[in-house]
Amino acid sequence: MASSEEDGTVEEKENNNKKRTKSALVTAWLTFYNIAMTAGWLVLAITMMRFYIQRGTHKGLYRSIARTLKFFQTFALVEVGHCAIGIVKTSVIVNGVQVCSRIFMVWFVTNSIRQISTCIICQKIQNEESVILFLVVWTVMEISRYSYYTFSLLHHLPYFIKWARYNFFIVLYPLGVAGELLTIYAALPFVRRSGMYSMRLPNKYNVSFDYYYCLIIVMLSYIPLFPQLYLHMLRQRRRVLHGEVIVEKDE
């Protein structure tokens, strides 16, 4: 019996050591990831400010940050993986919708139009004030969000960072959504004329797809999705800043 008890104790210690090691590795990775993302969005912010100070205009700003923006916004897909495997306790659906909607804006709206053609209207899309609007909003929100996660993981969270994380979004979130919708709307005439990403019948696949109507559906999807995401953030704000106990259904 003594031998069995000793074996059980040793096995339990080994399991606890493995759990601690795993927890330490996860924390180290998340800290590295959030520091890297904070730095990336800070670089974007500095680049945008320098561009505007030097040029005195927002025209051409998107092109100057496009490569960095595409990298860091696409790299955010890692966060969906964090949620899926359970190392971050956030809804996969909520996180996935936010990340994928931004990637769609970057790759399939703002960036794609510039790549497909160099006509005047295409260049105008990237120079729209609405593009600058959502870029500024994204940058401020991501800097506050990733710095909040970083300091939380380091167990040294300044109150201002926490306050910024759960207050800035109240105004910035609707402004960002407005910028995204206005940008898609500005792209619609070109998409309709050029037929980009569309498939017309007849074709060998016997499939029809119209990117113009796809963009309209995307715009309409903001109607049910935005209120849910916004209310989710408001619930998180009450829980973090005011200590309210909020029970949410599993998503």
Side-chain angles (χ1 to χ4, degrees), residues 42-58:
L42 279 170
V43 168
L44 282 166
I46 293 169
T47 303
M48 286 192 287
M49 287 189 292
R50 287 181 60 186
F51 183 93
Y52 191 80
I53 290 171
Q54 292 173 358
R55 306 287 182 87
T57 178
H58 67 277

Side-chain angles (χ1 to χ4, degrees), residues 143-154:
I143 290 172
S144 64
R145 184 167 73 96
Y146 287 117
S147 59
Y148 170 82
Y149 294 149
T150 300
F151 285 112
S152 295
L153 288 164
L154 295 173

Side-chain angles (χ1 to χ4, degrees), residues 212-249:
Y212 174 82
Y213 291 108
C214 175
L215 288 180
I216 292 176
I217 292 172
V218 169
M219 293 177 72
L220 292 174
S221 72
Y222 278 71
I223 297 174
L225 291 176
F226 170 69
Q228 293 183 49
L229 296 174
Y230 195 69
L231 289 173
H232 171 77
M233 285 300 299
L234 288 174
R235 288 193 293 269
Q236 293 299 311
R237 178 179 184 271
R238 295 201 305 271
R239 180 179 64 81
V240 174
L241 294 184
H242 304 293
E244 293 186 22
V245 178
I246 299 171
V247 179
E248 295 188 71
K249 295 180 180 178

Side-chain angles (χ1 to χ4, degrees), residues 98-117:
Q98 291 176 322
V99 171
C100 292
S101 66
R102 289 188 177 188
I103 290 175
F104 179 82
M105 284 298 304
V106 171
W107 285 102
F108 297 102
V109 179
T110 317
N111 187 72
S112 294
I113 290 178
R114 180 185 66 82
Q115 288 186 335
I116 288 175
S117 176

Side-chain angles (χ1 to χ4, degrees), residues 12 16 33 71 87 97 159 165 168 181 183 203 236 241:
E12 185 178 347
N16 289 336
Y33 172 80
F71 175 81
I87 64 175
V97 168
Y159 181 77
R165 165 69 177 129
F168 283 0
L181 288 173
T183 300
N203 58 65
Q236 293 299 311
L241 294 184

